[in-house]
């Protein structure tokens, strides 16, 4: 449904009908001009504050768990999205990766991890 079906037509100060309102915000005006050229302007999306708080709590729990496994040198099994298993102890981690010391030292992207468990437990 177009915006014209929802909003009544706008009139300029001379009384002429204008298809869209003239916005005084230069960024919004530039975005509107860019969308008229055929390339749609990106729509800004923001997560609600509550999800940011929940994400922060989840992130803190993840960091605590990884730090605990590093300090105790717990042998882990990491199951990747494609089903491959990586066994070893986690040496370090950062925002995107884990370094696992097993048969070989392996750098694993967190986005490729399906789940992980301690060696000896059933996954």
């Amino acid at each position: 449904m177009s915006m014209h079906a929802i909003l009544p037509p706008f009139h300029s100060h001379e009384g002429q009908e204008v298809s869209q309102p003239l916005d005084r915000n230069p960024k919004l005006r530039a975005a509107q001009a860019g969308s008229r050229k055929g390339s749609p302007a990106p729509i800004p999306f923001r997560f609600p504050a509550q999800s940011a708080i929940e994400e922060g709590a989840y992130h803190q729990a993840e960091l605590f768990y990884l730090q605990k496994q590093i300090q105790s040198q717990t042998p882990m099994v990491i199951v990747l999205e494609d089903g491959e298993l990586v066994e070893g102890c986690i040496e370090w981690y950062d925002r995107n990766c884990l370094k696992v010391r097993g048969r070989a030292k392996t750098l694993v992207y967190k986005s490729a991890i399906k789940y992980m468990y301690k060696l000896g437990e059933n996954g």
Side-chain angles (χ1 to χ4, degrees), residues 12-31:
S12 68
H13 62 280
E14 290 94 22
Q16 298 172 346
E17 188 174 310
V18 178
S19 62
Q20 291 184 350
L22 298 176
D23 201 314
R24 298 196 196 292
N25 184 340
K27 289 182 181 179
L28 186 56
R29 194 170 43 228

Side-chain angles (χ1 to χ4, degrees), residues 48-58:
Q50 184 63 29
S51 68
I53 292 170
E54 291 170 2
E55 224 172 84
Y58 174 80

Side-chain angles (χ1 to χ4, degrees), residues 62 66 77-82 84 86 90 96-100 107-117:
E62 176 187 339
L66 290 172
V77 177
I78 300 170
V79 181
L80 304 180
E81 290 289 339
D82 64 359
E84 185 178 350
V86 178
I90 300 171
N96 301 315
C97 301
L98 299 176
K99 182 179 179 187
V100 182
L107 192 64
V108 180
Y109 282 102
K110 286 182 180 179
S111 61
I113 297 174
K114 190 173 187 178
Y115 61 93
M116 66 175 72
Y117 58 92

